[in-house]
Amino acid sequence: MLPVVDAANLSLDRRQAVGIVGESGSGKTMLCRALIGTLARHGAEITAGTVRFGGLDLAAASERVWRGIRGREIGYIPQSSLAGLNPVLTVETQLVESISAMGTLSRRQARDKAVELLERVRIPRAPQVLKARGHQLSGGMRQRVMIAAAIAQSPKLLIADEPTTALDVTIQREILSLITQLRHELNMALVLVSHDLAVIEDVCDDVMVMYAGASVESGPVAALSKTPRHPYTRALRVSRVDRALPGQDLDAIPGDAASVGSWPAGCRFWPRCSHADEECRRGSQPALMPIGRQLSACIHAERLVVGEQLPAVANQEDSARRRK
Amino acid sequence: MTELLLEGKEITVTFGRGAEAFEAVRAANVAVSGGEAVGIVGESGSGKTTLARVLVGLQRPSAGEVRLEGERIFSAETEQSMPRSERWKTQMIFQDPYSSLNPRMRVWQAVAEAVQVWHNLPKAAAREEALRLLQNMGISDDQARQFPKSLSGGQRQRVSVARALAPGPKVLIADEPTSSIDQSAQAQLLNLLRRLQAERGLAIIFISHDLGLVRYLTSRVYVMQTGDIVETGETQIVMEQPQHPYTRLLIDSIPGRGNGAG
């Protein structure tokens, strides 16, 4: 048995939007699958920890229980869902499938509902698009159809795993803005997974940063952006191109991400961290601890904040605060 | 004023014939001088990759010509492909580092092959040179002995750069080189490209849909939309005072400007 995620913590309130950011292999997608009850389909299982939704404990829920939750209570846009739309079936066939899960609707009612859903995701000429096949639609249109299917049963929570990764920037902007509008219209909570912190900062209230299967920092987007309390979060911010002037080196994180199966002892980020000392290499991955307005898994979180302000960021009051 | 190194003049590429004909690139003029980094920015279908393939000799233009150091080396009229004596001077790296390396060749072999092709060195010397090129790209001898599958996307992309540098080219065309690798690997690769340009005087044509990356790396930019170059100029000026509505749309779409939430 190989652990792929072992110290992930995520929580969100009704109507809240939380982003999960991390590099490939950090466990973002596995965590999503745990939240939607599809780990078994990928040969994985939850061996420790809890998944609570409303009053329900879902960590050990049967497939029968999940069938009542998935789609109905929690909508899901899987990663590379652009490939998820069957190219030869019509949009109608595929949407009606999601709708008929809602119960006894006549063919006509289901079709009307499908048109309504396409209009809801701002697809113009919905009745014509309903007759189109997957391959006839652009990437942006296909993603809108996938979103329509995910929200068909007005779920309380929408989980979107890298929904804009394969899209052009202008389309990415449209899709993110659509997801935000739908969230407000349907009073949905949102979990948005992205490898791009900037995308999450545009859309979410809170963010959880993952590294090598563990949550390393979480809290309000504004707090993490102003005063990151984990060296990895800080590194993600300062290595961005908009942080450097042309002609200046980017502050790149040295080395490569720890891959599944070869996580180092102690804090998993230490081999790439400029703050690491003997203490960081001992024991296991540190737990999240409150500091300021956020949680950090760095045992030197205070030192990091006092010693190093981000460039172009004013010194704020939290910098003086101490870990309790 | 530095002399123009590589130039595409009035490049048009048409795919298909008759009623099916489709112009992927229309009368495009692009140029890069020695040691200069220019960007070509646009979205899928803009023709930026097709234009790059013409410049590197992989795609014959339907009209127009490619000039290198003032000489015409490739055009719609010439029958043969780009001459070998010119081809080494322009090298290209591609978007997907997963499919651009032979999975059954060890990393050093992939680079040594390119060294042998261009320098006609004996095997042992080619291996030495390959390892040296890889080391400059931050790939250790130990990693060089692996197969591509055990390397991360960022490492593979650095291997692609080492391979492209084997013939000692004057121009490197990088087609969306960071779009399928993680952010920390992206910063490493961008630093590498910038150093190659600044320290070795390598000219770089950087193709991307991301104006943020282009702003960081290039001093001039061409903006392409559905086959046309719709705006060109100094990158900083284009970013600050975009003249074309499409350029403005691209700038507004950069994430992290607080506008993704609509």
Side-chain angles (χ1 to χ4, degrees), chain B residues 33-101:
Chain B
S33 305
E36 190 188 25
V38 302
I40 303 179
V41 70
E43 298 185 287
S44 37
S46 64
K48 57 192 195 303
T49 295
T50 305
L51 178 57
R53 288 170 56 84
V54 171
L55 294 176
V56 80
L58 289 170
Q59 168 73 49
R60 179 183 304 284
S62 318
E65 62 183 35
V66 178
R67 301 179 79 90
L68 189 71
E69 298 170 315
E71 301 276 321
R72 184 169 80 174
I73 58 162
F74 194 42
S75 74
E77 285 80 40
T78 49
E79 277 302 308
Q80 60 288 63
S81 54
M82 190 181 279
R84 186 184 149 89
S85 58
E86 302 295 335
R87 229 161 47 214
W88 63 271
K89 295 176 186 164
T90 308
Q91 293 289 309
M92 187 160 171
I93 58 170
F94 300 88
Q95 179 170 3
D96 184 2
Y98 295 90
S99 65
S100 57
L101 290 172

Side-chain angles (χ1 to χ4, degrees), chain B residues 19-252:
Chain B
E20 298 276 283
F22 163 72
E23 279 186 339
V25 178
R26 260 182 304 274
N29 288 297
V30 289
V32 63
S33 305
E36 190 188 25
V38 302
I40 303 179
V41 70
E43 298 185 287
S44 37
S46 64
K48 57 192 195 303
T49 295
T50 305
L51 178 57
R53 288 170 56 84
V54 171
L55 294 176
V56 80
L58 289 170
Q59 168 73 49
R60 179 183 304 284
S62 318
E65 62 183 35
V66 178
R67 301 179 79 90
L68 189 71
E69 298 170 315
E71 301 276 321
R72 184 169 80 174
I73 58 162
F74 194 42
S75 74
E77 285 80 40
T78 49
E79 277 302 308
Q80 60 288 63
S81 54
M82 190 181 279
R84 186 184 149 89
S85 58
E86 302 295 335
R87 229 161 47 214
W88 63 271
K89 295 176 186 164
T90 308
Q91 293 289 309
M92 187 160 171
I93 58 170
F94 300 88
Q95 179 170 3
D96 184 2
Y98 295 90
S99 65
S100 57
L101 290 172
N102 185 338
R104 285 179 300 186
M105 233 183 228
R106 290 182 197 278
V107 164
W108 72 265
Q109 289 173 316
V111 180
E113 182 191 51
V115 171
Q116 273 185 302
V117 164
W118 294 111
H119 295 299
N120 204 12
L121 285 178
K123 210 172 168 193
R127 183 172 190 274
E128 282 303 300
E129 174 65 6
L131 290 175
R132 193 188 63 80
L133 284 164
L134 284 164
Q135 221 153 41
N136 287 344
M137 297 301 116
I139 304 290
S140 68
D141 288 7
D142 190 43
Q143 288 164 330
R145 279 191 288 273
Q146 311 289 318
F147 287 99
K149 71 169 189 313
S150 16
L151 267 54
S152 71
Q155 288 167 337
R156 280 185 239 204
Q157 201 57 289
R158 298 206 298 274
V159 173
S160 304
V161 177
R163 197 179 144 93
L165 294 180
K170 301 184 174 186
V171 186
L172 180 69
I173 302 183
D175 187 6
E176 299 266 11
T178 64
S179 64
S180 55
I181 61 179
D182 282 323
Q183 194 191 317
S184 66
Q186 169 177 307
Q188 290 173 357
L189 187 71
L190 290 173
N191 281 344
L192 201 72
L193 292 177
R194 211 187 55 71
R195 263 178 233 155
L196 288 171
Q197 185 228 341
E199 290 166 16
R200 295 199 203 170
L202 184 70
I204 292 179
I205 299 179
F206 186 79
I207 300 174
S208 179
H209 65 276
D210 186 337
L211 262 177
L213 298 181
V214 170
R215 181 201 69 101
Y216 168 70
L217 198 67
T218 70
S219 53
R220 274 194 312 119
V221 65
Y222 300 90
V223 182
M224 285 191 82
Q225 183 190 24
T226 57
D228 295 304
I229 293 176
V230 295
E231 182 161 1
T232 180
E234 282 180 39
T235 308
Q236 202 185 337
I237 294 174
V238 169
M239 293 290 287
E240 280 165 14
Q241 298 153 11
Q243 298 300 308
H244 195 277
Y246 181 67
T247 313
R248 274 198 289 276
L249 177 65
L250 284 178
I251 292 171
D252 287 344

Side-chain angles (χ1 to χ4, degrees), chain A residues 267-324:
Chain A
C267 170
R268 287 173 197 152
F269 189 60
W270 79 255
R272 309 176 75 187
C273 182
S274 55
H275 301 267
D277 59 17
E278 269 311 306
E279 212 184 337
C280 301
R281 303 169 197 201
R282 282 200 294 266
S284 51
Q285 171 65 26
L288 289 172
M289 297 286 281
I291 178 164
R293 293 161 64 205
Q294 61 244 57
L295 300 170
S296 167
C298 176
I299 58 172
H300 298 311
E302 292 169 48
R303 200 206 286 172
L304 179 76
V305 169
V306 176
E308 273 195 296
Q309 278 292 313
L310 279 179
V313 172
N315 198 1
Q316 295 294 325
E317 73 289 347
D318 353 83
S319 62
R321 276 188 213 155
R322 297 285 151 148
R323 187 188 278 236
K324 297 268 155 37

